[in-house]
């Protein structure tokens, strides 16, 4: 499949000419440098509100008009931002309700950014207004190619307006019935039964912090508030510029917003990618970054996404900001493209002279010229990206999916019990993703309500909460021949965070998996059990379910403690398919061997028949195969036949050695 927003890979990024308003000669120099760097797109005006509207109702667009024209004249397209990510001081001063109230109940003063109330009618109105004016002004400008809405939506507000909105949300969610809310929140416990909607407040440390179902509702409410804030923002844009695609930049696996839901409202998903390279774990960092790319790619059924930001060198917000080695940024960018990005964009084009981010990497450094390592690297990459038109718009067809579900992530975070320390949901999901990527098998990363039927194999790590309908969908999938694997603590609570009665995993899943989960043991850090599987022994850490087989074939057993000899790994034939259960938290060794078995059982094969060494990742997109060396030493790959390397233009075959950070895109 294919979906193209542009004909070429977009190369560019955040450009803030508003910071250089008093030195317009720099603007002209920027145009020269952008062309030298093979930049074809600039994301403009993200934080420019105080320049665009210096006083309420007074607008200043001269500079932006000039900039749009200049960029266009130089063949650079514009991704135009709406300015709601940071408001001007006058706005906060005149309308304090736009400022966010923290959990403490104290209203923030003006400062930093991303700190608006999500509910404030005044702020929503002001944002709609400025967006309408922007859209009217630039609707016919030939440079305008995409809208960048706000910036990295995040956080939550606890003001009175938001409290009331939360109460209204609960009222609607629970069908106007406090009885239902009391039942779902299990308010009979600790004398919490409510008698009036006004008794609901946002979760906070000094108030209600122990009702997990309520915290889950708050997550849903906050997430939906961001989405409705966004919908308010885009209303005038959709009306005035219906043909201009809309995106907003997401932040990795940020859990304050259900990105899987939000993505449905975007034309194109984009995200800001800042891996911590060169800290001694590049291969793992690459695998984890790949997981995130695939999560974003999967949000719109495999449609290409944008890498809206990345750093061309270092960041300024790690504890210690190590310079990535030469070539690392290029390899990192190529990885994004391999996984479905149709853009490589930077924060930011030119380093700020002052302010908080003046030491954050940028394409043009304070020296102001092109004779830097970073600039040369960016320019070389820009030139190479021009050779990759063949992949633009191309989807990847995955036969394997790992479920990583935002709402389940919330539920996992909130419950109190078992192992309260070691239970990172994202780590667990990544662990089950990595073995496939290492073998060159593409994986979709999907929510639990996605369509399973297109996959040969679905893995559900730590599927603790089940949204409505999930049991039936798993059952149907396996019955019809699917392979489905789950891990420990799966199927414990329903969508309202109440435990299933009648034994775990929930309801009919006991038949699908052929097991009954009676108990759960938790192991403090450093304490281990052992489990067998396929004649080998593996470490058992953190959490282990004590399960009984109700017909499932036992593939492995615990070795120690009072549950020694009880099943630890099971396989159950159900209908035409099979369901597997790995009952304990384990490590990469077990995940690799268990996934090997699943790959064979589900008959999944690598996307490209290329043998590679550890540290080399292979990914197919369209007809192109990306071969990327993330190891700290040179690595060899063996090609099955002759290919053309799109970057060098040369024919390649047989054994090829990739230097550190080396890559090929072969067709
Ligand atoms: C985020 C923001 C940018 C910038 C970068 C710095 O991604 O969107 O404005 O602050 O971080 O890494
Ligand atoms: Zn608020």
């Amino acid at each position: 499949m294919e979906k193209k927003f542009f004909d070429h890979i977009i190369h560019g990024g955040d450009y803030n000419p508003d910071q250089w308003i008093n030195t317009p000669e720099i603007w002209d120099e920027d145009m020269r440098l952008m062309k030298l760097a093979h930049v074809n797109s600039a994301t403009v005006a993200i934080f420019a509100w105080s320049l665009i509207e210096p006083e309420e109702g007074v607008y200043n667009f001269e500079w932006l008009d000039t900039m749009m024209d200049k960029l266009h004249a130089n063949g650079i397209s514009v991704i135009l931002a709406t300015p709601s990510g940071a408001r001007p001081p006058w706005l906060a001063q005149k309308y304090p309700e736009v400022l966010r109230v923290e959990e403490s109940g104290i209203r923030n003063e003006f400062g930093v950014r991303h700190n608006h109330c999500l509910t404030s009618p005044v702020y929503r109105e002001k944002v709609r207004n400025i967006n309408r004016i922007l859209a009217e002004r630039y609707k016919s400008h030939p440079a305008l190619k995409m809208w960048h809405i706000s910036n990295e939506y995040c956080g939550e507000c606890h003001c009175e307006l938001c409290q009331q909105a939360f109460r209204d949300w609960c009222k609607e969610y629970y069908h106007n019935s406090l009885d239902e809310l009391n039942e779902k929140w299990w308010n009979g416990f600790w004398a919490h039964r409510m008698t009036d909607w006004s008794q609901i407040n946002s979760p906070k440390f000094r108030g209600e912090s122990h009702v997990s179902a309520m915290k889950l509702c708050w997550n849903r409410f906050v997430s939906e508030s961001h989405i409705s804030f966004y919908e308010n923002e885009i209303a005038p844009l959709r009306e005035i510029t219906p043909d201009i695609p809309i995106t907003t930049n997401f932040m990795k696996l940020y859990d304050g917003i259900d990105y899987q839901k939000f993505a449905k409202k975007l034309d194109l998903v984009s995200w800001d990618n800042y891996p911590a390279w060169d800290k001694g774990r590049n291969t793992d960092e690459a695998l984890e970054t790949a997981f995130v790319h695939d999560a974003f790619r999967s949000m719109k059924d495999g449609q290409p996404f944008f890498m809206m930001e990345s750093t061309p060198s270092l960041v300024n917000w790690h504890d210690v900001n190590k310079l990535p080695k030469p070539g690392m940024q290029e390899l990192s960018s190529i990885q994004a493209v391999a996984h479905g990005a149709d853009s490589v964009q930077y924060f930011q084009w030119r380093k700020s002279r002052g302010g908080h981010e003046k030491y954050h990497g940028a394409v043009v450094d304070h020296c102001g010229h092109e004779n830097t390592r970073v600039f040369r690297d960016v320019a070389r990459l820009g030139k190479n990206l021009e050779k990759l038109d063949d992949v633009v718009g191309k989807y990847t067809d995955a036969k394997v999916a790992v479920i990583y579900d935002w709402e389940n992530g919330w539920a996992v975070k909130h419950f109190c019990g078992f192992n309260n320390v070691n239970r990172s949901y994202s780590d667990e999901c990544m662990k089950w993703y990595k073995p496939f990527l290492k073998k060159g098998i593409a994986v979709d990363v999907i929510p639990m309500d996605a369509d399973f039927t297109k996959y040969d194999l679905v893995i559900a790590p730590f599927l603790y909460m089940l949204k409505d309908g999930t049991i039936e969908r798993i059952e149907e999938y396996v019955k019809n021949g699917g392979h489905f694997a789950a891990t420990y603590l799966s199927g414990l609570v329903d969508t309202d965070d109440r435990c299933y009665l009648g034994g775990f995993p929930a309801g009919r899943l006991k038949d699908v998996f052929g097991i009954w989960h009676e108990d759960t043991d938790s192991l403090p850090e450093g304490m281990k059990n052992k489990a067998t599987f396929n004649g080998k022994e593996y470490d058992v850490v953190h959490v282990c379910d004590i399960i009984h087989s109700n017909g499932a074939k036992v593939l492995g057993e615990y070795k120690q403690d009072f549950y020694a000899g009880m099943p630890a790994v099971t396989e159950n034939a159900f209908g035409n398919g099979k369901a597997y259960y790995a009952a304990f938290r384990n490590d990469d060794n077990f995940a690799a061997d268990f996934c090997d078995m699943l790959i064979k059982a589900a008959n999944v094969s690598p996307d490209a028949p290329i043998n590679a060494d550890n540290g080399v990742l292979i990914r197919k997109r369209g007809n192109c195969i990306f071969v990327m060396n993330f190891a700290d030493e040179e690595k060899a790959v063996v090609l099955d036949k002759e290919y053309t390397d799109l970057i060098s233009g040369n024919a390649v075959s047989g054994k090829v050695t990739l230097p550190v950070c080396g890559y090929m895109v072969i067709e």
Side-chain angles (χ1 to χ4, degrees), residues 97 99 101 117-120 157-162:
E97 74 162 56
L99 293 172
V101 171
C117 169
L118 304 176
T119 308
S120 160
C157 175
H158 296 256
C159 79
E160 236 344 283
L161 292 167
C162 289

Side-chain angles (χ1 to χ4, degrees), residues 328-357:
M328 199 61 236
Q329 177 272 331
E330 178 163 354
L331 180 64
S332 178
S333 303
I334 287 294
Q335 184 192 28
V337 177
H339 282 264
D342 273 354
S343 83
V344 171
Q345 291 159 284
Y346 310 106
F347 175 85
Q348 62 179 329
W349 165 255
R350 182 182 278 275
K351 245 181 210 182
S352 309
R353 184 167 186 190
H356 182 64
E357 293 184 321

Side-chain angles (χ1 to χ4, degrees), residues 471 474-475 478 508-514 572-574 578-579:
I471 300 176
I474 295 173
E475 184 178 354
V478 180
R508 300 262 310 145
L509 289 185
K510 282 185 284 298
D511 301 321
V512 177
F513 288 94
N572 192 44
F574 182 84
K578 281 188 176 164

Side-chain angles (χ1 to χ4, degrees), residues 14 47 113 151-152 249 272 274 309 315 317 347 357 360:
D14 285 21
F47 297 113
R113 54 176 173 172
N151 190 70
E152 295 188 337
N249 49 339
D272 300 343
Y274 292 96
E309 292 179 24
V315 295
W317 44 264
F347 175 85
E357 293 184 321
H360 190 289

Side-chain angles (χ1 to χ4, degrees), residues 360-656:
H360 190 289
V363 181
V364 181
D365 213 321
H366 292 130
C367 65
H369 56 65
E370 66 268 40
N371 303 314
T372 62
R373 177 179 63 84
V374 170
F375 190 95
R376 282 191 296 272
D377 285 0
V378 165
R380 188 186 58 239
L381 170 61
K383 201 165 162 201
N384 288 343
L385 293 175
E386 287 166 359
K387 300 170 185 166
L388 299 183
D389 286 356
D390 278 5
V391 300
V392 177
K394 296 288 188 313
Y395 285 48
T396 301
D397 240 344
K399 290 282 155 223
V400 178
V402 168
I403 295 181
Y404 175 77
D405 185 287
W406 251 256
E407 293 198 36
N408 185 50
W410 293 331
V412 163
K413 188 159 115 182
H414 295 324
F415 76 80
C416 182
F418 310 122
N419 194 325
N420 286 317
V421 185
N422 284 304
R423 66 162 182 241
S424 162
Y425 178 52
S426 56
D427 284 0
E428 188 62 14
C429 294
M430 286 180 186
K431 192 171 64 205
W432 291 99
Y433 163 94
K434 290 176 185 179
F436 296 95
L437 190 63
K438 284 184 183 165
K439 289 191 164 345
I441 297 171
V443 177
D444 282 354
V445 176
I446 59 170
M448 71 177 87
D449 30 19
D451 176 15
F452 300 154
T453 58
K454 59 182 175 188
Y455 303 109
D456 296 332
L457 171 62
V458 176
I459 306 196
F462 207 164
L463 194 66
Y464 168 73
M465 182 192 80
L466 301 174
K467 293 179 186 167
D468 289 345
T470 305
I471 300 176
E472 294 75 10
R473 294 173 57 259
I474 295 173
E475 184 178 354
E476 203 52 30
Y477 173 69
V478 180
K479 200 163 81 193
N480 291 328
H483 293 257
F484 193 96
T487 74
Y488 61 89
L489 291 182
S490 282
L492 265 65
V493 299
D494 64 16
T495 195
D496 293 295
D497 202 38
R498 290 179 310 174
C499 288
Y500 284 99
L501 302 180
F504 304 138
R508 300 262 310 145
L509 289 185
K510 282 185 284 298
D511 301 321
V512 177
F513 288 94
I515 59 165
W516 170 44
H517 161 194
E518 181 185 351
D519 227 334
T520 298
D521 194 18
S522 301
L523 306 176
E525 194 63 57
M527 189 181 273
K528 285 177 180 168
N529 200 325
K530 295 270 180 201
T532 54
F533 171 64
N534 258 349
K536 277 164 81 177
E537 252 186 37
Y538 299 86
D539 283 345
V540 172
V541 295
H542 304 161
V543 183
C544 31
D545 290 347
I546 299 178
I547 60 173
H548 304 269
S549 165
N550 267 346
K553 190 161 133 197
V554 177
L555 304 179
E557 292 173 354
Y558 290 114
K559 292 287 285 178
Q560 298 166 15
D561 220 325
F562 65 92
Y563 43 96
M566 293 188 73
V569 189
T570 59
E571 168 191 316
N572 192 44
F574 182 84
N576 296 322
K578 281 188 176 164
Y580 305 82
Y581 200 81
F584 58 98
R585 189 150 174 135
N586 39 64
D587 56 14
D588 288 346
N589 294 330
F590 177 80
D593 290 346
F594 189 65
C595 288
D596 264 354
M597 178 198 69
L598 296 175
I599 288 167
K600 282 189 200 109
N603 205 8
V604 182
S605 40
D607 301 321
I610 294 174
N611 290 323
D613 261 11
N614 234 347
V616 175
L617 298 182
I618 292 169
R619 180 63 172 227
K620 192 163 179 219
R621 183 173 176 202
N623 293 324
C624 298
I625 302 167
F626 292 72
V627 186
M628 301 164 278
N629 181 15
F630 287 94
D632 290 326
E633 55 195 18
E634 62 172 42
K635 289 283 180 182
V637 293
V638 182
L639 305 180
D640 60 314
K641 59 177 187 193
E642 186 173 292
Y643 293 90
T644 304
D645 179 354
L646 294 182
I647 305 296
S648 68
N650 298 333
V652 281
S653 61
K655 185 172 172 184
V656 184

Side-chain angles (χ1 to χ4, degrees), residues 199-216:
Q199 292 157 2
I200 298 174
N201 286 305
S202 60
K204 39 180 88 72
F205 185 66
R206 65 189 170 87
E208 188 55 79
S209 58
H210 281 44
V211 178
S212 52
M214 176 265 212
K215 292 204 276 191
L216 192 56

